[in-house]
Amino acid sequence: MSSATNGHRETSADEYDYIVVGGGIAGSVLASRLHEYNPSLSILLVEAGKDATTHPLVPSPLAVVLLHGSELDWNYTTVPQKHLGGRTFYEAAGKALGGGSVTNYGLWTRADAVDYDAWANLLGDSRWSYQGLLPYFRKSEQHQDPEVDLKQHGRDGPVPLCSVSSSGRNYPLRDQLKSAWISAGVDLNLDANSGSSLGIGEAVECRINGSRLIASEAYSLKGVKVMTDTLVKRVLIKEKDGEKTACGVELADGRTCLSKREIVLSAGAYRTPQILLLSGVGSATELARHGITQVVDAPEVGQNLYDHMGVKQFWRLRHPDTGAAVGSSKWTDPAFQTGNPLDYVVCHLVSQEGMKAALSKDEGHVTDDHPLLKPLRCHVETAMQYAAVSKANPVVPLDGTHVSSHVMGMLPTSRGSVTLESTDPAAAPIIDMNYYGTEADRYVMREGLRKFMDVIHNTPAGQAIIASETVPEGFEPLTASSTDEQIDKRVAQAAMSTFHPAGTAAMGKVVDSELRVFGVAGLRVCDGSVMPLPVAGHPMAAIYAIAEQAADIMQTARGVQ
């Protein structure tokens, strides 16, 4: 596949045209495309984790959860979250060649065109609008659904995609669940990845022949120098022609690698700001706390952190003997092993009036043209999985008697931070998500949970699916009329990360719209940390498109042909 050192010590001053730090989704795409565009370039891709290509659990769609907490996961923990009873949260982050594509569930949700148009409006750069990114979404896709609109989707890209129905999975609860949502006032969306995600959208996943395909396999790294098991400590910055210029990277073991052209940080929303801070790019206060000499005043490094927080519930099936969930002796269709056990990703609105009132509590008076009110936005995503297991509080056995649901707030206004624990690059950074920190986020989650209670409890199809909610000790089942206090109490107990961190080296704050770090020549960032505002979708599709566009931007900037 590629040449890899696996920790082998090389000369102290190897030199490359480009150095890409982080071999996750963005780093794999960028290194691959740069080499494709000009094979004469010398490109170094440095990854802290292992090459997971041959790991036995990586191909299986249903084994992903077993990779969480493994050697392929950074396995981070947040600080106690003050708005959620002081709980700490587990934060998965891929630590392997392929990054998040190794440890995520492979769902492909582009989000809404409005979300990307908000980026373009903020930055004054149409390249980051939905239409500006559409060629790059299409370029990354190898869509296998024969009915797909080729004006919106690609067939010739590296990332294989298939919908639930096109993969031959005919889940027993599919029609009933769709009917329940329709009865609750949510419309069917025949293609939720075409610029409008609102409605009942069929799930689309990154799969090939029923197996997961990670980014570093989808995008060839042949011809790219790959170092695995190699941790970068900092970017080396020197004065050149009167400006601060990135000239190389220092590895954790003291070796250095030099760059003749540019260095790109693609280490993710946690590690990228950590490396910038260790390089002296950050706020004076944060750097002084650790005795780091400030090279560039960049107070926004590590700020603007956001994530999609979710709440899981467990539901006892009314007819568990039908084989509708994982664990049942009748769950035997081989096709069910080829993807996540779900049919739909449902995105919906919240009340404009209620959202306006919540925003006003956070921001003061707001008008009807507030960007989270107009145009209409997808504030909530809900998915029911035909699987449920919990070791404690509540105990739910994986025996086919239960399903689970997950409600997410998709456009959070709460913002957290990533800061340094120490100057040791191997030490985890301090992660404060500040979950549930705004009235807007609390309102959205309350309304999202109430909506799903309406779907389950107040529609004939929902009642036919579910017998009861299995609740944690000391809690009552939620209903569509549960009070704010009852819901907030449940959220404090059951909230979880969905492992979608972003924003910590945001465009417009830390980098410009060509992903160049302000104040440092020859240094860019390309990963989820550049996303200035949340998008109402799982970020994998967006990160592929960002990296595809970044490769074109760099090609144009350097005249690489």
Side-chain angles (χ1 to χ4, degrees):
M1 178 190 73
S2 58
S3 54
T5 68
N6 291 307
H8 176 68
R9 296 184 65 87
E10 299 187 336
T11 60
S12 61
D14 292 326
E15 192 172 43
Y16 303 87
D17 289 302
Y18 291 100
I19 299 175
V20 180
V21 178
I25 293 173
S28 294
V29 173
L30 189 60
S32 176
R33 290 300 193 197
L34 289 174
H35 179 265
E36 176 187 338
Y37 294 160
N38 190 337
S40 68
L41 291 171
S42 57
I43 300 168
L44 173 65
L45 180 62
V46 188
E47 167 54 43
K50 301 180 179 300
D51 184 345
T53 305
T54 60
H55 193 288
L57 295 179
V58 167
S60 171
L62 300 183
V64 174
V65 68
L66 301 177
L67 295 173
H68 291 168
S70 74
E71 64 178 352
L72 305 183
D73 180 8
W74 284 98
N75 197 16
Y76 290 126
T77 302
T78 69
V79 301
Q81 296 297 284
K82 63 182 179 180
H83 303 292
L84 292 169
R87 285 178 55 212
T88 59
F89 283 66
Y90 160 63
E91 301 289 345
K95 186 182 182 182
L97 199 61
S101 67
V102 173
T103 56
N104 71 23
Y105 291 91
L107 285 172
W108 192 266
T109 61
R110 279 189 191 171
D112 202 291
V114 176
D115 303 336
Y116 299 102
D117 292 346
W119 292 6
N121 292 336
L122 178 69
L123 301 167
D125 191 332
S126 62
R127 289 178 296 184
W128 298 105
S129 68
Y130 180 74
Q131 288 300 319
L133 281 165
L134 181 58
Y136 299 104
F137 283 121
R138 295 181 67 250
K139 187 175 184 178
S140 68
E141 292 180 347
Q142 183 191 124
H143 218 298
Q144 299 169 47
D145 189 333
E147 304 299 324
V148 79
D149 179 2
L150 294 182
K151 292 180 180 179
Q152 284 288 331
H153 298 286
R155 286 222 193 274
D156 302 320
V159 183
L161 304 175
C162 61
S163 63
V164 174
S165 57
S166 70
S167 68
R169 285 176 281 159
N170 297 306
Y171 293 118
L173 296 179
R174 179 182 179 88
D175 291 339
Q176 280 181 293
L177 182 59
K178 179 172 67 175
S179 177
W181 276 107
I182 291 173
S183 296
V186 180
D187 295 331
L188 188 64
N189 186 335
L190 295 178
D191 185 357
N193 283 321
S194 61
S196 176
S197 56
L198 287 169
I200 309 164
E202 186 178 31
V204 175
E205 300 160 311
C206 174
R207 299 284 184 266
I208 184 166
N209 299 323
S211 294
R212 300 167 70 239
L213 186 68
I214 62 178
S216 53
E217 291 184 279
Y219 285 77
S220 173
L221 294 175
K222 184 178 181 180
V224 174
K225 176 69 174 180
V226 179
M227 290 183 179
T228 54
D229 293 296
T230 304
L231 189 65
V232 169
K233 178 178 182 179
R234 62 185 179 123
V235 178
L236 300 174
I237 300 172
K238 68 178 182 181
E239 289 281 342
K240 181 179 179 183
D241 299 328
E243 63 178 344
K244 295 180 175 68
T245 303
C247 61
V249 296
E250 179 184 344
L251 307 181
D253 62 10
R255 289 179 293 160
T256 60
C257 301
L258 303 180
S259 169
K260 292 183 284 188
R261 296 192 181 211
E262 291 187 272
I263 297 164
V264 184
L265 297 182
S266 296
Y270 303 131
R271 282 285 299 162
T272 285
Q274 182 179 19
I275 294 170
L276 285 170
L277 292 167
L278 290 173
S279 307
V281 180
S283 76
T285 302
E286 172 67 7
L287 297 175
R289 197 163 63 89
H290 298 281
I292 299 172
T293 300
Q294 187 182 55
V295 178
V296 174
D297 184 23
E300 295 294 335
V301 169
Q303 303 303 302
N304 194 50
L305 174 65
Y306 57 83
D307 182 27
H308 294 139
M309 189 195 80
V311 173
K312 179 176 282 190
Q313 293 171 273
F314 300 98
W315 304 93
R316 180 174 293 278
L317 290 170
R318 188 168 297 280
H319 301 290
D321 56 341
T322 59
V326 175
S328 168
S329 61
K330 296 181 180 179
W331 183 271
T332 57
D333 189 331
F336 291 174
Q337 303 302 313
T338 65
N340 294 298
L342 81 169
D343 275 306
Y344 304 111
V345 175
V346 181
C347 295
H348 63 83
L349 308 168
V350 296
S351 160
Q352 294 292 90
E353 182 180 350
M355 188 64 182
K356 183 178 179 181
L359 288 167
S360 295
K361 288 184 179 181
D362 293 330
E363 303 175 15
H365 176 69
V366 300
T367 60
D368 291 339
D369 61 355
H370 189 286
L372 291 179
L373 298 174
K374 184 180 180 181
L376 297 178
R377 306 293 295 272
C378 169
H379 286 283
V380 181
E381 178 191 293
T382 303
M384 176 182 279
Q385 287 197 310
Y386 310 131
V389 62
S390 177
K391 294 180 180 179
N393 202 27
V395 174
V396 178
L398 187 65
D399 61 1
T401 62
H402 284 71
V403 294
S404 59
S405 62
H406 193 258
V407 175
M408 285 195 295
M410 299 307 289
L411 299 172
T413 59
S414 301
R415 294 293 184 270
S417 63
V418 174
T419 54
L420 294 178
E421 173 66 37
S422 74
T423 57
D424 179 1
I430 298 171
I431 301 169
D432 183 0
M433 285 294 188
N434 193 34
Y435 287 130
Y436 225 45
T438 63
E439 185 62 25
D441 288 357
R442 293 187 284 272
Y443 175 76
V444 166
M445 182 55 69
R446 293 165 188 157
E447 290 303 289
L449 288 167
R450 287 186 179 114
K451 184 67 175 181
F452 193 63
M453 298 311 98
D454 186 41
V455 170
I456 292 301
H457 296 307
N458 299 335
T459 69
Q463 293 168 1
I465 295 171
I466 299 301
S468 61
E469 182 186 1
T470 299
V471 300
E473 183 178 353
F475 289 83
E476 295 294 325
L478 294 180
T479 70
S481 58
S482 291
T483 66
D484 290 354
E485 292 74 20
Q486 289 170 326
I487 293 175
D488 287 347
K489 181 181 177 183
R490 176 69 72 85
V491 171
Q493 188 274 341
M496 58 188 294
S497 172
T498 49
F499 319 133
H500 297 166
T504 50
M507 284 189 282
K509 294 185 175 183
V510 176
V511 301
D512 66 12
S513 63
E514 296 208 338
L515 309 182
R516 298 172 296 197
V517 175
F518 291 124
V520 186
L523 181 61
R524 298 185 199 247
V525 175
C526 178
D527 56 29
S529 65
V530 305
M531 297 167 67
L533 298 168
V535 298
H538 301 224
M540 179 167 68
I543 292 172
Y544 273 108
I546 288 168
E548 288 277 15
Q549 172 138 267
D552 275 7
I553 287 172
M554 291 175 67
Q555 178 192 24
T556 300
R558 294 296 186 184
V560 179
Q561 300 294 338

